[in-house]
Amino acid sequence: MTVEMASLNLYSSATQQNAGKLVEARGEPKARGPELAQAGQAAPVTATDRALPEGVVVDQPLRQYTQAQLDMRPVDRADAALMAVVAPEDFGRLTDALASDGDWRSLLSAFTQRLGSNPQWLEDQYRLPAAEVLRQTSNFLDLSGLKR
């Protein structure tokens, strides 16, 4: 038995078999016109066919980041969070510099130089509140989460 490749079209035969039996996502058969089932063509897709259930897509608010926020390395972010706990007045100047693309690196560098002479700042009583600052600000990408 030989079958010519030109006469064998698996797609059209499957489409013709299933054309009248199209099923929605909920499992209910969709009513399709008999002319479409006979022709082996799919029915046109309407807007209601493509509608998503309520609450599936949630749009997030659009945020604009400064270049300073994007340039911060993870270690800079951790040091800045510790600065929020230990030196709140310096941290206020740092967040102002971050928000306005100012010179935040010199402020953070001055603080990190003081870390060596204050090893107690690395204890849990300072680190845990600093971790909370990181969480509130989404690692300093959302400065609106700061309480000033």
Side-chain angles (χ1 to χ4, degrees):
M1 178 175 142
T2 56
V3 177
E4 291 184 34
M5 293 305 284
S7 67
L8 182 63
N9 186 344
L10 296 176
Y11 177 75
S12 66
S13 63
T15 305
Q16 288 172 357
Q17 290 174 1
N18 296 327
K21 301 177 186 173
L22 294 176
V23 175
E24 275 190 5
R26 293 188 212 100
E28 302 149 1
K30 274 196 160 192
R32 299 290 183 192
E35 66 281 350
L36 292 173
Q38 291 171 357
Q41 299 174 354
V45 179
T46 63
T48 57
D49 293 336
R50 293 180 176 250
L52 293 173
E54 280 293 320
V56 171
V57 177
V58 178
D59 294 326
Q60 296 296 320
L62 192 61
R63 290 194 180 120
Q64 189 170 9
Y65 302 117
T66 64
Q67 189 61 44
Q69 289 174 289
L70 298 175
D71 287 345
M72 285 185 87
R73 302 172 304 158
V75 68
D76 295 334
R77 296 172 194 279
D79 290 345
L82 187 61
M83 181 193 282
V85 175
V86 176
E89 56 283 337
D90 293 339
F91 181 70
R93 287 194 298 272
L94 177 77
T95 55
D96 291 341
L98 284 173
S100 65
D101 270 336
D103 184 24
W104 61 274
R105 291 180 198 271
S106 62
L107 295 169
L108 193 59
S109 177
F111 176 75
T112 55
Q113 289 174 358
R114 294 185 355 214
L115 281 175
S117 61
N118 295 293
Q120 73 274 11
W121 289 351
L122 301 177
E123 295 174 4
D124 284 348
Q125 65 180 349
Y126 298 105
R127 287 186 321 127
L128 295 178
E132 182 62 24
V133 169
L134 285 174
R135 187 193 66 72
Q136 286 176 351
T137 61
S138 299
N139 291 321
F140 287 100
L141 289 177
D142 181 13
L143 297 178
S144 67
L146 292 173
K147 297 173 186 160
R148 293 185 182 192

